Amino acid sequence: MAETRTSPAPSSATAAPQPDAAAAAPAPRPSKVPKTERGRRTLRALLNAAAEEFGEKGFHDAAISQITARAGVATGSFYVYFDSKEAIFQALVRDLSGQVKDFVGPSIAAAPNQLAAESAGQLAYLNFVRQHKEIYRIIDESEFVDPAAYREHYTNSAARIAARLEAAAQRGEISAGDSEVRAWAIMGMNVFLGLRFGVWGDEAPEAVVQEAGRLLAHGLSSPSASGEERA
Amino acid sequence: MAETRTSPAPSSATAAPQPDAAAAAPAPRPSKVPKTERGRRTLRALLNAAAEEFGEKGFHDAAISQITARAGVATGSFYVYFDSKEAIFQALVRDLSGQVKDFVGPSIAAAPNQLAAESAGQLAYLNFVRQHKEIYRIIDESEFVDPAAYREHYTNSAARIAARLEAAAQRGEISAGDSEVRAWAIMGMNVFLGLRFGVWGDEAPEAVVQEAGRLLAHGLSSPSASGEERA
Amino acid sequence: MAETRTSPAPSSATAAPQPDAAAAAPAPRPSKVPKTERGRRTLRALLNAAAEEFGEKGFHDAAISQITARAGVATGSFYVYFDSKEAIFQALVRDLSGQVKDFVGPSIAAAPNQLAAESAGQLAYLNFVRQHKEIYRIIDESEFVDPAAYREHYTNSAARIAARLEAAAQRGEISAGDSEVRAWAIMGMNVFLGLRFGVWGDEAPEAVVQEAGRLLAHGLSSPSASGEERA
Amino acid sequence: MAETRTSPAPSSATAAPQPDAAAAAPAPRPSKVPKTERGRRTLRALLNAAAEEFGEKGFHDAAISQITARAGVATGSFYVYFDSKEAIFQALVRDLSGQVKDFVGPSIAAAPNQLAAESAGQLAYLNFVRQHKEIYRIIDESEFVDPAAYREHYTNSAARIAARLEAAAQRGEISAGDSEVRAWAIMGMNVFLGLRFGVWGDEAPEAVVQEAGRLLAHGLSSPSASGEERA
DNA sequence: CATGAATGAGAGTTCATTCAT
DNA sequence: TATGAATGAACTCTCATTCAT
């Protein structure tokens, strides 16, 4: 059986310097780019405070007055840098999306082959989620607050996975197949395992990743039988 | 917005034998069970209106006054049936969760073996999502509005999947392994494929399901190589 | 010489029941028409309070919280009847515009001939302005707050004057000429005399009206000479 | 927005001999007179920018930050030259009031007799208004922002007109009468004709002025009848 | 003189919920 | 049961003004 759902991405970056799709994003993060050092500090303080506040309370229960209080600045200062609550949320999502990518990416790049890479990415993602539950929550909520950012986040992640699969297939490491479908499937696995074993539970991640790796490598079929064909 | 139910019925039973967690839920659906025919009609109208309103606007932007307006009743009447905005949302999530299960369940039960069952469930789920995008959205948002309901929904789903895998493994249809991890992985795949190919896109679902079925059956490994062991 | 300026209309109603141009106005005054007696009382209280507040402070310095305080209702009640500060201001202008018309109209209708009618209207207007300085101010300010209402007010007034002149010319009571130009000229006279001798000063209105009547009847020319033609 | 002045010059002199009320005004125009060339340029830029901004948005919707942005200077620089938003508005109104006078005055001076002079003034005014709608608006709004400046503007204008009428009456060019009442009546006519046929419409100004000239010369009376006396 | 970040009081507006009818 | 007016706490956002650099 199968049911509904959604969540923050496993991601896994390309260390390569190729122009990221995000580079084409229309609006730069903060509505005002600070020109002085002082301004840069204030902006950073606001983003950090926002991550805390949104993570703890969710978008709607978060209050701008609380964000500025946490950041130690006046209410009005908020609007020097962001046009609205939505605007800072969006800036945050893009920021965090990048953080996930940057955290997970290196593990993947270091893996000897594709299957190992996916497992490494999964493990890194699980650990990241466990340490940054608020990030998971924030990205998830963007589905409702800023659908475009949400979609962008997952579309980018899937594209990176698909590119890796494509390359591996050409190298003969894995079988050929529709990379996009596979990428979304793998991403979904990662996200849900992250939810269950990263956010909600804290079972040993290695065991989880091992089991998932087996599934990814050989599927469910028993060595002897291959049920599907006979279905 | 997809056809909303025409009766406030609390959704149906599970084919599965496992005790439905929902049965233990503390709060009964509507805070007041109507005694007259007129009352029953009003309650039904409110739930239908709520499905539309929440589906279109999301929880926080949905307004009770809009729900009552859609339902054609006065503002005050709302509180005859529900104690709060959260209460009607919760009632709705439980209701919709049941609808998903009821729609997908039969396809699974009709399948000849486990792998076929998962593929059938996936296909049914994809079709359901495509026709009821607002339901997808509502259940998703419950992560923030009513986390218990959200967790319950996915935990129940995973439990059902795990039970099926367990049984299939005992029958020798599939390999042995940690059923819970596998169940969450499969559920994640389904959900994300549903998001990508059900909610956002409308590519032919059969192709998607076929590719996912192959992945589930045999994994990514190329017939010749088995990368993982060497990693 | 001649300079800038603007102000609230002299008006002068048609007692006749002919459909008023205002009847074609798109939006009805209050955004919600009360259905109960209690509601009607609250709406009236709000409008009265708004007239006081706007009259004393002007649009921008007026506060909705002050309006509701004066009316003796809660802040939120305001929004039951009006969508915004602008909305109640608009409703007020239309209301007051009607009041001016209703006050001045009868005097005009009672006059024996056209020149007497204009003088009577002028006198009535002067007296009205003197007693309702806040109304003068409110209508004036609508030029900036709700230009459409402002324009409507003066256009309607001018149309009524022009219609009277037209009729009088056909009766041979006055000379023929461009009624619209004449109407705006007369209205301008009335408004500025109202400003100078109604709002700012309180010289005997009868003397002012008498002098203005002479001007209207015979112009500036000296009985013997007629300068213009020779120019 | 019509060409704003190219220099912060405080407007010119009056041809009329009566003491200019503005000369007695308490506050000198800019709160600080620039000593350097650079300062003079900044001041000029601010006044020009203010004329645009106030003309387009009105006093309250105009923002100092917008004025400085248009002027191409930093926010803080504003306060080097003006003490407040009100202060720059006041400086502007006095400036513009002088512009109107300077534009209209010469036409009047050139006329052969009084009636011709009033018509010439009217025509000049109409043309001025048509080309400088934002000036019209700014002076008008001063009724609410800076009542003293508003009153001063119209009182001065009326005084100039009255002085002309007085002189013409003594020369026997026009009949005798209360000059102040006549002056305000004429000014009102001009202003409203300016509103209707200058700001709102652009019918041929000559026809408007001709009709108004007839009214001013002979009034409304038909050659044969003289209604008023019989009233 | 110029800069531009920081300020914070104050306003308008929303809407879930109550309650008298 | 149904109604719909009334409530008021709470929130987002504005912007004239200050001041350290």
Side-chain angles (χ1 to χ4, degrees):
Chain A
M1 192 187 285
E3 276 97 12
T4 9
R5 160 21 337 187
T6 305
S7 265
S11 170
S12 36
T14 354
Q18 110 267 25
D20 208 350
R29 248 63 64 200
S31 57
K32 181 178 189 176
V33 177
K35 288 172 181 160
T36 69
E37 178 52 29
R38 190 188 182 197
R40 241 162 280 133
R41 274 201 308 275
T42 303
L43 175 55
R44 176 49 42 202
L46 283 170
L47 280 171
N48 292 346
E52 288 178 29
E53 177 78 2
F54 286 130
E56 284 175 23
K57 311 230 192 100
F59 182 78
H60 280 282
D61 290 341
I64 291 189
S65 61
Q66 279 302 302
I67 293 177
T68 53
R70 282 184 204 254
V73 300
T75 336
S77 300
F78 177 90
Y79 292 92
V80 171
Y81 298 98
F82 299 99
D83 286 338
S84 65
K85 199 180 173 182
E86 276 78 11
I88 195 176
F89 188 87
Q90 182 185 55
L92 204 52
V93 170
R94 297 237 157 86
D95 223 49
L96 301 180
S97 178
Q99 281 189 37
V100 178
K101 186 175 73 178
D102 295 344
F103 185 96
V104 175
S107 314
I108 291 171
N113 62 46
Q114 199 46 40
L115 287 169
E118 295 307 329
S119 283
Q122 202 160 59
L123 184 58
Y125 178 65
L126 219 65
N127 283 325
F128 184 85
V129 159
R130 199 166 284 188
Q131 288 161 43
H132 302 280
K133 294 179 180 167
E134 81 288 359
I135 292 187
Y136 187 97
R137 193 189 159 128
I138 289 168
I139 294 184
D140 243 27
E141 198 169 11
S142 73
E143 181 180 357
F144 306 98
V145 175
D146 183 359
Y150 178 79
R151 190 164 179 162
E152 187 184 311
H153 171 70
Y154 282 121
T155 301
N156 287 342
S157 288
R160 285 191 296 266
I161 298 176
R164 291 200 304 265
L165 296 178
E166 209 75 58
Q170 287 208 329
R171 290 195 305 271
E173 262 182 50
I174 62 171
S175 62
D178 183 326
S179 296
E180 190 177 13
V181 171
R182 286 171 160 192
W184 282 84
I186 292 171
M187 183 163 71
M189 278 179 45
N190 291 345
V191 171
F192 267 69
L193 291 173
L195 175 66
R196 172 62 187 80
F197 299 104
V199 179
W200 291 347
D202 46 7
E203 287 86 347
E206 286 75 14
V208 172
V209 169
Q210 201 176 39
E211 181 68 39
R214 263 198 296 272
L215 186 61
L216 216 49
H218 309 114
L220 294 169
S221 293
S222 58
S224 54
S226 53
E228 199 193 24
E229 284 75 12
R230 262 175 288 169
Chain B
M1 72 262 15
E3 60 281 26
T4 45
R5 311 208 111 193
T6 66
S7 137
S11 129
S12 70
T14 333
Q18 108 267 24
D20 203 348
R29 246 62 48 155
S31 56
K32 183 174 188 181
V33 178
K35 292 187 174 96
T36 69
E37 176 53 25
R38 188 193 183 191
R40 236 165 285 134
R41 273 202 309 273
T42 302
L43 174 55
R44 196 182 312 148
L46 284 171
L47 280 169
N48 290 349
E52 290 178 24
E53 178 77 2
F54 286 131
E56 285 174 21
K57 311 231 193 97
F59 182 78
H60 279 283
D61 290 342
I64 293 201
S65 63
Q66 277 302 301
I67 294 178
T68 53
R70 283 184 202 256
V73 301
T75 332
S77 302
F78 178 90
Y79 291 89
V80 172
Y81 298 97
F82 299 98
D83 287 337
S84 66
K85 196 180 176 183
E86 276 78 12
I88 196 176
F89 187 86
Q90 185 184 58
L92 208 50
V93 170
R94 297 237 155 84
D95 206 52
L96 301 180
S97 176
Q99 283 190 42
V100 178
K101 189 174 68 181
D102 295 348
F103 185 96
V104 175
S107 312
I108 291 170
N113 62 44
Q114 199 46 39
L115 287 169
E118 295 308 329
S119 284
Q122 206 160 56
L123 184 58
Y125 176 65
L126 220 65
N127 284 324
F128 184 85
V129 159
R130 200 165 284 188
Q131 287 160 45
H132 301 278
K133 293 177 181 168
E134 85 289 358
I135 293 186
Y136 186 96
R137 195 190 156 124
I138 290 169
I139 293 183
D140 248 26
E141 197 169 11
S142 73
E143 180 179 356
F144 306 98
V145 176
D146 184 357
Y150 179 79
R151 191 164 179 162
E152 187 186 308
H153 172 69
Y154 281 119
T155 301
N156 288 166
S157 288
R160 285 192 296 267
I161 298 175
R164 292 199 302 265
L165 295 177
E166 209 73 60
Q170 287 208 330
R171 289 196 304 272
E173 258 181 52
I174 62 170
S175 63
D178 182 327
S179 297
E180 191 178 11
V181 171
R182 286 172 160 191
W184 282 84
I186 292 171
M187 184 163 68
M189 278 179 44
N190 291 343
V191 170
F192 268 70
L193 291 173
L195 175 65
R196 173 61 186 80
F197 301 102
V199 177
W200 291 347
D202 46 7
E203 287 87 346
E206 286 76 16
V208 172
V209 169
Q210 199 177 37
E211 181 68 39
R214 264 197 296 270
L215 186 62
L216 215 50
H218 309 116
L220 294 168
S221 293
S222 59
S224 53
S226 54
E228 201 193 23
E229 285 77 12
R230 260 174 289 167
Chain C
M1 191 187 282
E3 274 97 13
T4 10
R5 177 325 29 145
T6 305
S7 264
S11 168
S12 37
T14 351
Q18 111 265 27
D20 209 346
R29 246 65 64 204
S31 58
K32 183 179 189 178
V33 178
K35 287 172 180 157
T36 69
E37 177 52 28
R38 190 190 182 194
R40 241 162 281 136
R41 273 201 307 276
T42 301
L43 175 55
R44 175 51 41 199
L46 284 170
L47 280 170
N48 292 344
E52 288 178 29
E53 179 78 0
F54 285 129
E56 285 174 23
K57 311 230 192 100
F59 182 78
H60 280 284
D61 291 342
I64 290 190
S65 62
Q66 279 302 304
I67 293 177
T68 51
R70 282 184 204 255
V73 301
T75 335
S77 300
F78 177 90
Y79 292 90
V80 172
Y81 297 99
F82 299 100
D83 287 336
S84 66
K85 199 180 173 181
E86 275 79 13
I88 195 176
F89 188 87
Q90 181 183 57
L92 204 51
V93 170
R94 297 238 156 86
D95 225 50
L96 300 181
S97 177
Q99 281 189 39
V100 177
K101 186 175 75 178
D102 294 347
F103 184 94
V104 174
S107 312
I108 290 170
N113 61 46
Q114 198 45 39
L115 288 169
E118 294 309 326
S119 284
Q122 205 163 55
L123 183 60
Y125 178 64
L126 218 67
N127 283 324
F128 184 86
V129 161
R130 200 166 281 186
Q131 288 161 44
H132 301 280
K133 295 179 178 165
E134 81 286 359
I135 293 187
Y136 188 97
R137 191 186 162 132
I138 291 169
I139 294 184
D140 244 26
E141 198 169 10
S142 74
E143 180 180 359
F144 306 99
V145 175
D146 183 358
Y150 178 78
R151 191 167 179 160
E152 188 185 310
H153 171 70
Y154 281 121
T155 301
N156 287 343
S157 288
R160 286 192 296 266
I161 297 176
R164 291 200 303 264
L165 296 179
E166 208 75 60
Q170 288 208 326
R171 289 197 305 270
E173 262 181 49
I174 63 170
S175 62
D178 184 325
S179 297
E180 190 178 11
V181 171
R182 286 171 161 194
W184 282 84
I186 292 172
M187 183 162 71
M189 278 179 46
N190 291 344
V191 170
F192 267 69
L193 291 173
L195 174 64
R196 171 61 187 79
F197 300 103
V199 178
W200 289 347
D202 45 7
E203 287 88 346
E206 286 77 14
V208 171
V209 169
Q210 201 176 37
E211 180 68 39
R214 262 197 297 271
L215 186 61
L216 215 51
H218 310 114
L220 292 170
S221 293
S222 59
S224 55
S226 53
E228 201 192 24
E229 284 79 10
R230 261 174 288 164
Chain D
M1 72 254 28
E3 61 282 23
T4 45
R5 308 208 110 194
T6 67
S7 139
S11 133
S12 68
T14 331
Q18 107 268 25
D20 204 348
R29 247 64 48 160
S31 57
K32 182 174 188 181
V33 177
K35 292 188 175 94
T36 69
E37 176 53 26
R38 187 189 185 194
R40 237 164 286 135
R41 273 203 308 276
T42 303
L43 174 55
R44 197 183 312 147
L46 284 171
L47 279 170
N48 290 348
E52 289 179 25
E53 177 79 1
F54 285 130
E56 283 175 24
K57 311 230 191 97
F59 182 78
H60 279 282
D61 290 343
I64 291 201
S65 63
Q66 276 304 300
I67 292 177
T68 53
R70 283 186 202 254
V73 301
T75 334
S77 301
F78 178 90
Y79 291 89
V80 171
Y81 298 97
F82 298 98
D83 288 335
S84 66
K85 197 181 176 184
E86 276 78 11
I88 195 177
F89 188 85
Q90 185 184 56
L92 207 51
V93 170
R94 296 237 155 86
D95 209 52
L96 302 180
S97 177
Q99 283 191 42
V100 178
K101 189 173 68 182
D102 294 347
F103 185 95
V104 175
S107 313
I108 290 171
N113 61 45
Q114 199 46 41
L115 288 169
E118 294 308 326
S119 284
Q122 206 160 53
L123 184 60
Y125 177 65
L126 219 67
N127 282 326
F128 184 85
V129 160
R130 201 167 280 187
Q131 288 162 44
H132 301 278
K133 294 179 181 169
E134 84 289 358
I135 293 186
Y136 187 96
R137 195 189 156 128
I138 291 170
I139 294 184
D140 250 25
E141 197 169 12
S142 73
E143 180 179 358
F144 306 99
V145 176
D146 184 357
Y150 178 78
R151 191 165 177 162
E152 187 185 308
H153 172 69
Y154 282 121
T155 301
N156 288 166
S157 288
R160 284 191 296 268
I161 298 176
R164 291 198 304 263
L165 295 179
E166 209 74 60
Q170 287 206 328
R171 289 195 306 271
E173 260 182 50
I174 63 169
S175 62
D178 182 326
S179 295
E180 190 178 12
V181 171
R182 285 172 162 192
W184 282 84
I186 292 171
M187 184 164 68
M189 277 179 44
N190 290 344
V191 171
F192 268 69
L193 290 174
L195 174 65
R196 172 61 186 79
F197 299 103
V199 178
W200 291 347
D202 46 7
E203 287 87 347
E206 286 75 15
V208 171
V209 169
Q210 199 176 38
E211 179 69 39
R214 264 198 297 272
L215 185 61
L216 215 50
H218 309 115
L220 294 169
S221 292
S222 58
S224 54
S226 54
E228 200 194 22
E229 284 78 12
R230 260 174 289 167

